[in-house]
């Protein structure tokens, strides 16, 4: 992977020319927010998912939606040939760690092999790649920096760590954004987040059991979209960690959601991972150091309480 290009030369950006952006993960939480954030862009946007039907009626009209399985190498290669995208924002993935643990073959195909194919296509057509990786490539008792050794905490993390290596091997121009526990407003036809699961459960008077022994930072989706859009405009490449300043346990987040929405906090039961283990292991301390993104991208984060209010406006 090439790094440290300057904005104009790296992106080949000619500000007068609308560019072709290919988004994978059109129906995902991040993908939906990105599409909304592109309303003002003078670019031609193509967005794919295995089934775009759920977003057909709500996606902005300036976006061309296409049904495609990214695991199907041939279809992806034909799409690249046809579109020849300037930029590819690759958010599609098998994102649930427990599912990845239970179906390793699909996780490897979707998260690693499909990303390898996309990166090689990017190299062939000189497209800039923006790839979303995860904090779960680390299992450190300290805040992880971009140059730290990878140590995947579970199979999902492993597939993403391998994907990062395939991107580097392809030699394409790429920005790899390692992100963590994303939250924000629930857009129509979008998947929910941990915060929405808490809200929905409590609204239905369901008891929930939430961990007190996992510490992590979170990332407001608007802050993530702002950084992706910065990269689209400036052509930055390399690894960047993106996360908010504050560190919480899932239990603390659940209580904050309940208090903000005036829901019954007594339904939230504090538990440890030992008491109710998940199928895929999670790190006890998963925190991303964002110093590099602040310095090089001007990354600014919204305080959790402000973002929480905006998420449930
Ligand atoms: N959300 C987080 O907290 C978080 C944290 C760290 C990293 N990330 C990374 O950020 C990215 C975006 O996450 P997200 O929360 O937006 O994910 P998400 O809501 O689970 O959405 C995943 C998207 O990927 C698509 N997809 C999955 N398999 C596909 C396939 N074989 N072919 C085509 N499309 C496929 C899905 O479309 P279909 O349903 O149509 O298949 C969906 O649009 C992911 O790469 C994830 O690993 C997310």
């Amino acid at each position: 992977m090439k790094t440290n290009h300057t904005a104009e030369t790296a992106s080949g950006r000619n500000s007068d020319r609308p560019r072709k952006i290919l988004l994978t993960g059109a129906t995902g939480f991040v993908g939906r927010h990105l599409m909304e954030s592109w309303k003002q862009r003078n670019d031609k946007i193509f967005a794919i998912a295995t089934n775009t039907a759920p977003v057909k009626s709500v996606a902005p009209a300036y976006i061309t939606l296409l049904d495609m399985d990214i695991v199907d190498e041939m279809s992806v290669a034909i799409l690249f040939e046809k579109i020849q995208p300037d930029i590819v924002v690759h958010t599609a993935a098998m994102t649930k760690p427990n599912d990845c643990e239970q179906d390793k073959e699909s996780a490897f195909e979707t998260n690693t092999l499909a990303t390898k194919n996309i990166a090689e296509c990017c190299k062939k057509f000189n497209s800039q790649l923006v790839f979303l990786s995860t904090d779960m490539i680390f299992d450190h008792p300290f805040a992880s920096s971009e140059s730290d050794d990878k140590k995947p905490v579970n199979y999902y993390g492993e597939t993403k760590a391998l994907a990062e290596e395939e991107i580097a091997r392809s030699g394409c121009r790429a920005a790899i954004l390692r992100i963590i526990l994303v939250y924000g407003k629930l857009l129509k036809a979008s998947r929910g987040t941990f915060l929405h699961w808490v809200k929905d459960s409590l609204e239905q008077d369901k008891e929930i059991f939430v961990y007190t022994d996992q510490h992590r930072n979170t990332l407001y989706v608007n802050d993530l979209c702002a950084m992706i859009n910065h990269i689209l405009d400036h052509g930055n490449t390399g690894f960047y960690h993106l996360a908010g300043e504050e560190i919480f346990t899932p239990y603390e987040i659940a209580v904050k959601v309940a208090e903000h929405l005036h829901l019954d906090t007594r339904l939230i039961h504090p538990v440890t991972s030992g008491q109710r283990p998940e199928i895929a292991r999670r790190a006890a301390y998963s925190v991303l150091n964002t110093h590099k993104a602040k310095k090089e991208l001007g990354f600014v984060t919204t305080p959790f309480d402000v973002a929480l209010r905006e998420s449930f406006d």
Side-chain angles (χ1 to χ4, degrees), residues 1-37:
M1 184 175 57
K2 296 179 183 168
T3 56
N4 293 328
H5 290 278
T6 58
E8 298 296 314
T9 50
S11 59
R13 177 101 211 250
N14 170 350
S15 54
D16 297 332
R17 180 175 71 88
R19 292 171 303 162
K20 288 175 280 183
I21 301 178
L22 173 62
L23 168 73
T24 71
T27 52
F29 184 75
V30 175
R32 282 284 289 116
H33 275 272
L34 274 173
M35 292 198 296
E36 290 297 316
S37 80

Side-chain angles (χ1 to χ4, degrees), residues 193-260:
T193 66
F194 171 70
L195 278 69
H196 299 104
W197 170 77
V198 171
K199 172 182 180 281
D200 292 348
S201 304
L202 302 186
E203 280 178 348
Q204 293 162 30
D205 284 331
K206 280 191 197 154
E207 292 185 301
I208 56 173
F209 298 84
V210 194
Y211 297 125
T212 52
D213 59 347
Q214 295 177 359
H215 292 79
R216 50 231 344 64
N217 37 19
T218 56
L219 176 60
Y220 185 35
V221 70
N222 291 15
D223 296 340
L224 169 61
C225 289
M227 280 303 94
I228 292 176
N229 286 322
H230 177 94
I231 290 167
L232 298 194
D233 289 336
H234 295 87
N236 310 77
T237 56
F239 293 89
Y240 292 101
H241 288 184
L242 300 178
E245 297 293 326
E246 298 134 290
I247 297 169
F248 298 115
T249 64
Y251 177 78
E252 287 167 336
I253 295 172
V255 170
K256 275 181 174 289
V257 170
E259 285 174 347
H260 175 70

